Amino acid sequence: YDRLTGKQTLEYFANLRGGVDAAYQQRLIERFELDPSRRFREYSKGNKQKVGVVIALQHRPELLVLDEPTSGLDPLVQQTFFTTLREAVADGASVFLSSHILSEVEKSADRVAIIREGRIVKTDTVEGLRDLAHHQVELRFAGPVPTSEFEHLPGVSDVVADDHVLRLRVAGPITPVVQAAARYELLDFVAREPSLEETFLAQYGQAPAEVK
């Protein structure tokens, strides 16, 4: 409602719930640095999004269903949002969050569902989904690189030897690689854990998708 102020908008939706805790509402307004005196039509996209976030949170719902909730919010406000969201979860709320920003999902979700072409194709914890992707592994040995010992291990591909350094990709658990490397004089072992985005792209390619 463009003619209402931010405060009037919050009060309108609060009344639909039979009222809210005014002190908690004010804390949210202050936390998100929202100017409640301005008319809604005067707000920037980010401030309109702040109003929506406060409306969603102000009555302390048991279930929050959030679709791209950080759209238009600057990075500092996004941090504030996720802090507030974690507090809501700690108080017993359940949260369904839909986002195309995989880094958001990675730092906020306990369980993740990947939707591709309108169907859920995978549901797991963040850690469980990471195991789907390839790890980039680098092994540094004291002596000659035992390439043949790694080429046929399950999940291993793209094995490249350079002097006493062995580089390879590992799909799934890296335990077999660790066990094989332990049989030699190993000077260094580096394994880079994939991000959730790398996990998704490795498993499902570039097709449009949504993560919840």
Side-chain angles (χ1 to χ4, degrees):
Y1 301 98
D2 285 350
R3 293 186 179 183
L4 297 183
T5 64
K7 180 64 173 177
Q8 289 169 334
T9 303
L10 296 179
E11 289 300 328
Y12 174 79
F13 284 97
N15 290 336
L16 291 179
R17 297 290 307 183
V20 299
D21 181 345
Y24 181 62
Q25 182 192 70
Q26 185 59 36
R27 285 203 302 274
L28 291 174
I29 291 172
E30 293 172 356
R31 175 175 282 189
F32 287 99
E33 298 180 350
L34 176 67
D35 180 357
S37 65
R38 297 181 63 184
R39 294 188 185 279
F40 192 82
R41 65 185 176 196
E42 298 172 352
Y43 283 138
S44 64
K45 178 181 178 181
N47 280 316
K48 288 178 179 178
Q49 191 75 354
K50 289 179 185 180
V51 173
V53 168
V54 174
I55 288 171
L57 293 168
Q58 64 180 353
H59 60 281
R60 290 192 174 98
E62 295 180 4
L63 173 65
L64 279 159
V65 181
L66 305 170
D67 184 16
E68 305 287 350
T70 62
S71 176
L73 300 181
D74 67 50
L76 290 178
V77 178
Q78 289 181 24
Q79 290 184 18
T80 299
F81 168 77
F82 283 111
T83 297
T84 306
L85 200 64
R86 284 190 289 270
E87 292 173 357
V89 171
D91 288 338
S94 297
V95 179
F96 280 85
L97 184 147
S98 174
S99 179
H100 289 81
I101 305 174
L102 298 185
S103 60
E104 286 188 355
V105 178
E106 192 167 16
K107 68 185 179 183
S108 63
D110 296 315
R111 292 185 62 79
V112 179
I114 296 177
I115 295 177
R116 186 185 188 195
E117 297 177 352
R119 296 180 179 272
I120 293 178
V121 294
K122 185 70 176 179
T123 303
D124 207 336
T125 63
V126 172
E127 294 303 321
L129 287 174
R130 279 179 180 155
D131 286 341
L132 294 174
H134 289 79
H135 287 70
Q136 297 289 341
V137 177
E138 181 178 295
L139 307 169
R140 187 178 300 274
F141 296 94
V145 177
T147 307
S148 61
E149 293 293 322
F150 294 87
E151 288 176 333
H152 302 296
L153 291 176
V156 171
S157 62
D158 300 338
V159 179
V160 177
D162 181 13
D163 196 11
H164 290 176
V165 178
L166 190 67
R167 296 182 179 87
L168 45 91
R169 288 162 57 89
V170 183
I174 64 173
T175 301
V177 174
V178 175
Q179 293 172 339
R183 295 196 291 268
Y184 299 88
E185 188 176 354
L186 185 65
L187 300 179
D188 195 16
F189 185 112
V190 178
R192 187 175 65 82
E193 186 179 59
S195 67
L196 192 59
E197 182 172 9
E198 289 171 322
T199 296
F200 174 79
L201 293 177
Q203 187 72 7
Y204 304 107
Q206 301 287 346
E210 185 175 13
V211 176
K212 291 186 182 293

